[in-house]
Amino acid sequence: MKFKLDHNNINVADLEKSLEFYEKALGLIEQKRINGDGFIIVYLKNDQAEHLLELTWLEEHPQKYNLGENEFHIAFRVDDYDAAYKHHKEMDCVCYENPAMGIYFIADPDGYWLEVMPYR
């Protein structure tokens, strides 16, 4: 058997705000949408990878999600780390920096942390 990682899911309180953030911050665009009874699922990706990010919006859960200690994250490699850092600083979404490791994190509208690191 061979398994291939396909997608990660996160639940979001404001789907349109999240779609705007992920496109502006990381270049992820909608690939597919499922409109269900009381929910919407949107799959995002860019041309850098096959892996998808699934955003799920639930009609009965309009508030932000409790992320606990927020120890989980999704990581992105970027070809121009300095330009990405400047872009995210301008967006005011950088939430944690670790210069010693050469990485930083941005937070999406729901508070999920996304790691940004250079190719090495």
Side-chain angles (χ1 to χ4, degrees):
M1 282 188 279
K2 295 182 181 180
F3 295 89
K4 178 181 176 185
L5 191 60
D6 184 75
H7 70 272
N8 289 81
N9 171 75
I10 58 175
N11 286 27
V12 299
D14 184 330
L15 183 58
E16 293 309 314
K17 188 174 184 180
S18 293
L19 289 171
E20 181 181 326
F21 172 84
Y22 280 96
E23 182 172 0
K24 183 175 181 182
L26 299 164
L28 298 176
I29 56 172
E30 183 173 331
Q31 300 298 302
K32 181 171 114 176
R33 180 180 291 239
I34 300 169
N35 293 303
D37 186 22
F39 70 91
I40 300 172
I41 296 173
V42 178
Y43 294 93
L44 306 176
K45 75 179 288 272
N46 61 27
D47 60 0
Q48 302 303 306
E50 293 180 34
H51 192 83
L52 298 168
L53 178 59
E54 174 186 328
L55 303 182
T56 299
W57 173 83
L58 301 172
E59 184 176 13
E60 298 294 323
H61 200 288
Q63 70 275 25
K64 287 191 177 184
Y65 286 84
N66 179 348
L67 303 182
E69 295 181 10
N70 208 4
E71 285 298 321
F72 60 90
H73 64 272
I74 300 170
F76 293 83
R77 290 204 184 269
V78 63
D79 62 344
D80 190 338
Y81 182 85
D82 293 332
Y85 179 79
K86 181 178 183 236
H87 176 65
H88 292 139
K89 277 296 210 181
E90 289 169 356
M91 287 181 64
D92 195 29
C93 62
V94 175
C95 61
Y96 181 77
E97 301 177 46
N98 188 330
M101 290 183 69
I103 62 172
Y104 67 91
F105 289 80
I106 60 176
D108 84 351
D110 288 281
Y112 293 104
W113 281 28
L114 309 160
E115 181 179 351
V116 179
M117 59 183 154
Y119 284 97
R120 294 186 194 138

